[in-house]
Amino acid sequence: MAPDLVPFNLPYSTGKELAYVAEAHRLRHLSGDGAFTRRCHRWIEQHTGCAKALLTHSCSSALDMAALLLDISDGDEIIMPSFTFVSTANAFVLRGGVPVFVDIREDTLNLDEKLIEAAITPRTRAIVPVHYAGVSCEMDTIMAIAKRHHLAVVEDAAQGVTASYKGRALGAIGDLGSFSFHETKNVISGEGGALLVNDPALAQRAEIIREKGTDRARFFRGEVDKYTWQDIGSSFLPSDINAAFLWAQLEEAERIKRERIVLWQRYHDRLEALERRERLRRPVVPDGCDHNGHLYYVLLRNGTDRAMVLRKLKERAINAVFHYVPLHSSPAGRRFARTQGELPLTVSLSEQLIRLPMWIGLSEDQQQRVCDALGAILEA
Ligand SMILES: *Cc1c(COP(=O)(O)O)cnc(C)c1O
């Protein structure tokens, strides 16, 4: 009999989502910034220490807001990794900005902070560290570089909800940060995200940009007697139906993290022998980085045929995937961005990486099957 499929991802449910959605419906406030949105904002502010949290439709749209808030315009340069999701770059390209891709660190696959300064020019406006797998970039160094060169820092913390760096929540360290609540992330609402505003000077304008360029948020708080068009903006706020769903997950966010860490650690323990025999390399989490078990990846040895490994896993009913195709090698990346030097680690590591199935409910037996299959394939 063929073994049951081990899916790559299954969206987690706390069981309370639909009750909260029904509650939002009963309250007759379905558009944005209702009671559930306010609860989510408070949760993010309390758990991260950011000055202001604002729910958005996605992490992509939170990054779009960040580019608007920083007044990114034609020719402004933004330093970021090429090993990331397209939205990190798109947000700035939409404003006329030019992503400048810098290579990543071999251990964490995060932006290599030692290469940032060489990429700075008079046009540089911002640095966008991406906390890959919920493992923090070297933020002390990055913040010091930004200060020295008067640059903004926008953390792409799409994968970093509940993770921290030296005790500080990811997303709440730079001037701005962004979270994703996409169904493939740890804490989900289908599609969803948040902008974390850490520089209080940007908070009021962030509210205006999010509400179609109006001061409606201040009007609802009774701070002005009518609301008017103040600035450019768009509709970046999700409905309270989405926020109700999200609230069920945020309430359980710390437990979700703990359960994912158990899964992460189980892979880590059971793949140690394969690493010792140099069949693969496991993730590295530097001291001071408290991660959230967002994803588990392995790096195959140079020369191992990744497509073959993925195919053989699939033959054993295991769905594993890879990412990212480096942005600098993509058609839009070549058109809109610039590359700082060669990106040897981005190129080689992105070709060796496999993400293993990771979702709450994945059983110990299923994880063992994944580890056994990897061993059998890599030691054949
Ligand atoms: C998922 C992800 C995004 C995009 O998040 P959405 O909420 O789907 O827009 C951006 N950056 C990184 C690093 C991500 O992993």
Side-chain angles (χ1 to χ4, degrees):
M1 203 178 74
D4 289 337
L5 176 74
V6 183
F8 172 67
N9 180 57
L10 282 181
Y12 177 63
S13 169
T14 69
K16 291 188 185 156
E17 287 83 356
L18 294 183
Y20 289 164
V21 167
E23 171 73 1
H25 185 248
R26 196 185 58 73
L27 292 171
R28 290 287 180 269
H29 183 117
L30 302 180
S31 59
D33 286 340
F36 283 105
T37 302
R38 285 197 298 276
R39 262 181 230 176
C40 293
H41 286 171
R42 215 174 312 124
W43 190 97
I44 296 170
E45 286 160 8
Q46 285 171 355
H47 284 78
T48 69
C50 72
K52 185 176 261 315
L54 294 168
L55 293 192
T56 57
H57 296 291
S58 62
C59 180
S60 304
S61 58
L63 291 165
D64 292 347
M65 282 186 66
L68 283 164
L69 267 169
L70 296 177
D71 289 316
I72 297 300
S73 64
D74 282 345
D76 286 347
E77 296 181 352
I78 300 91
I79 293 171
M80 63 179 70
S82 167
F83 183 72
T84 183
F85 189 61
V86 294
S87 300
T88 316
N90 253 329
F92 299 93
V93 172
L94 277 167
R95 309 308 309 155
V98 179
V100 175
F101 296 128
V102 166
D103 209 0
I104 52 176
R105 286 165 51 135
E106 188 160 22
D107 56 353
T108 57
L109 317 191
N110 280 332
L111 189 62
D112 187 341
E113 68 280 358
K114 291 185 295 303
L115 303 177
I116 291 174
E117 273 188 304
I120 294 174
T121 75
R123 297 305 310 264
T124 308
R125 292 285 319 282
I127 306 171
V128 186
V130 178
H131 305 299
Y132 180 66
V135 176
S136 177
C137 297
E138 185 40 52
M139 290 308 290
D140 279 347
T141 308
I142 291 172
M143 296 307 291
I145 293 170
K147 193 163 180 211
R148 205 150 55 233
H149 297 272
H150 308 288
L151 306 176
V153 173
V154 179
E155 296 176 75
D156 182 339
Q159 304 178 12
V161 178
T162 70
S164 63
Y165 169 80
K166 299 186 181 175
R168 282 173 292 160
L170 302 193
I173 302 169
D175 302 274
L176 297 162
S178 61
F179 281 169
S180 174
F181 304 120
H182 185 267
E183 80 163 48
T184 53
K185 301 302 201 287
N186 284 21
V187 171
I188 62 176
S189 61
E191 301 277 357
L195 178 71
L196 281 65
V197 184
N198 305 313
D199 177 354
L202 296 173
Q204 187 172 323
R205 186 155 180 247
E207 281 187 340
I208 288 171
I209 285 172
R210 178 168 166 272
E211 262 285 17
K212 301 98 181 165
T214 74
D215 53 356
R216 189 152 150 190
R218 297 191 65 202
F219 172 69
F220 279 141
R221 286 196 298 264
E223 294 167 17
V224 289
D225 61 3
K226 61 181 184 308
Y227 73 87
T228 54
W229 188 20
Q230 302 280 332
D231 201 337
I232 58 168
S234 190
S235 182
F236 286 108
L237 70 172
S239 89
D240 223 48
I241 300 171
N242 285 69
F245 192 107
L246 178 63
W247 176 245
Q249 298 255 329
L250 281 178
E251 272 190 326
E252 304 278 339
E254 292 299 330
R255 189 173 58 74
I256 289 171
K257 171 185 177 176
R258 282 197 299 277
E259 292 195 19
R260 294 186 79 105
I261 294 280
V262 169
L263 299 171
W264 191 99
Q265 192 60 47
R266 192 176 286 144
Y267 274 136
H268 208 59
D269 295 342
R270 294 182 187 188
L271 292 171
E272 189 188 352
L274 279 177
E275 183 179 73
R276 249 187 292 115
R277 293 198 292 276
E278 297 184 2
R279 302 297 170 176
L280 53 74
R281 210 201 79 195
R282 297 176 302 160
V284 173
V285 180
D287 285 346
C289 297
D290 176 42
H291 75 103
N292 58 6
H294 172 55
L295 58 84
Y296 197 89
Y297 67 86
V298 295
L299 293 163
L300 302 178
R301 217 166 28 178
N302 231 328
T304 305
D305 179 353
R306 177 174 65 181
M308 176 277 288
V309 175
L310 290 174
R311 195 176 59 243
K312 292 199 165 167
L313 285 170
K314 194 149 282 168
E315 283 166 16
R316 291 167 159 83
I318 293 162
N319 266 351
V321 303
F322 70 87
H323 72 176
Y324 301 100
V325 176
L327 298 184
H328 76 280
S329 63
S330 64
R334 286 204 295 268
R335 197 158 134 219
F336 296 120
R338 175 164 86 67
T339 296
Q340 178 65 24
E342 302 287 309
L343 307 178
L345 291 171
T346 299
V347 171
S348 64
L349 297 172
S350 67
E351 286 172 356
Q352 293 163 252
L353 186 141
I354 289 183
R355 293 176 65 182
L356 304 182
M358 182 65 151
W359 38 274
I360 292 176
L362 186 66
S363 70
E364 199 170 335
D365 283 352
Q366 287 173 313
Q367 282 192 284
Q368 190 59 46
R369 251 179 70 201
V370 174
C371 297
D372 291 345
L374 268 178
I377 295 164
L378 296 176
E379 306 207 294

